[in-house]
Amino acid sequence: MVGFKGRSGIKQYMPMKPVKRGFKIWAICCAITGYLLKFIIYEGKKDSKEKGSLGEKTVLEMTNNYQDKGYCVFFDRFFSSINLVSELLKRKIFACGTMLQNRKYFPKTLLKADKSLSMGDYDFASSGEISVYKWMDRGKKPVVVVSSIHKGEDITVVKRKK
């Protein structure tokens, strides 16, 4: 969100954000160089050839130039869904991102309940090449990740301070 208080038809209002009014800009950047590869200024609802939620449509539109090249895309929970990761995999783009547990097709029955996880515990479920992971960090809610890059059996132990 780029702050802007003047008059404009494409200005957005998001009351829960630190910058409440301004222009919403979607961007795709290279993780190695940090260069901006493409950006889109959100102008409100519009017709799109892509199907799905606003986040799904945005990611699919932004990654059109990278199909069939085996790139990896990382995004946050606003964009993440199992449908999006599946569609990107069909286009030969690997994906990983945090995910909300109330999303459609989330495998609640295959993963442990939040209450049964203590700090450091994890669980995962896989179907084909897509895996969903649930890991309990220090807080009350677990971190949930959906990925077509990582395999559920891969485990790494990391030392960290409390």
Side-chain angles (χ1 to χ4, degrees):
M1 183 74 96
V2 177
F4 180 75
K5 293 184 180 179
R7 294 183 188 201
S8 174
I10 61 173
K11 183 173 72 172
Q12 301 295 312
Y13 174 66
M14 297 172 57
M16 302 302 287
K17 296 288 184 181
V19 177
K20 296 178 182 0
R21 290 176 176 82
F23 299 117
K24 190 184 291 188
I25 299 175
W26 312 116
I28 187 167
C29 302
C30 177
I32 296 168
T33 63
Y35 286 135
L36 176 68
L37 302 174
K38 184 176 182 179
F39 74 94
I40 299 171
I41 299 173
Y42 180 64
E43 300 174 7
K45 192 173 182 178
K46 64 177 184 174
D47 293 333
S48 174
K49 63 179 181 174
E50 305 293 353
K51 294 179 185 174
S53 67
L54 174 62
E56 292 172 13
K57 290 177 188 177
T58 302
V59 171
L60 293 173
E61 186 178 335
M62 298 282 280
T63 58
N64 271 340
N65 297 338
Y66 305 101
Q67 293 182 33
D68 301 319
K69 296 181 181 173
Y71 282 99
C72 297
V73 179
F74 295 86
F75 36 77
D76 70 5
R77 66 187 189 165
F78 176 79
F79 303 97
S80 295
S81 72
I82 292 176
N83 286 343
L84 174 61
V85 174
S86 177
E87 184 59 35
L88 287 170
L89 199 55
K90 288 178 191 171
R91 298 175 184 201
K92 295 189 174 92
I93 299 172
F94 299 98
C96 181
T98 55
M99 183 176 176
L100 294 170
Q101 292 187 56
N102 61 356
R103 292 289 168 111
K104 195 172 184 180
Y105 305 118
F106 182 80
K108 284 183 183 177
T109 57
L110 300 176
L111 295 170
K112 293 179 186 174
D114 294 355
K115 293 177 184 176
S116 67
L117 294 172
S118 59
M119 184 178 145
D121 288 348
Y122 67 93
D123 195 13
F124 71 92
S126 296
S127 177
E129 295 196 25
I130 299 174
S131 299
V132 177
Y133 310 88
K134 185 189 274 192
W135 170 64
M136 184 59 81
D137 195 12
R138 296 178 218 180
K140 295 177 184 175
K141 294 182 182 180
V143 177
V144 179
V145 176
V146 61
S147 177
S148 62
I149 301 169
H150 309 93
K151 301 291 177 231
E153 301 83 27
D154 297 343
I155 298 172
T156 302
V157 178
V158 179
K159 289 184 180 182
R160 83 184 248 193
K161 297 178 182 178
K162 286 194 174 190

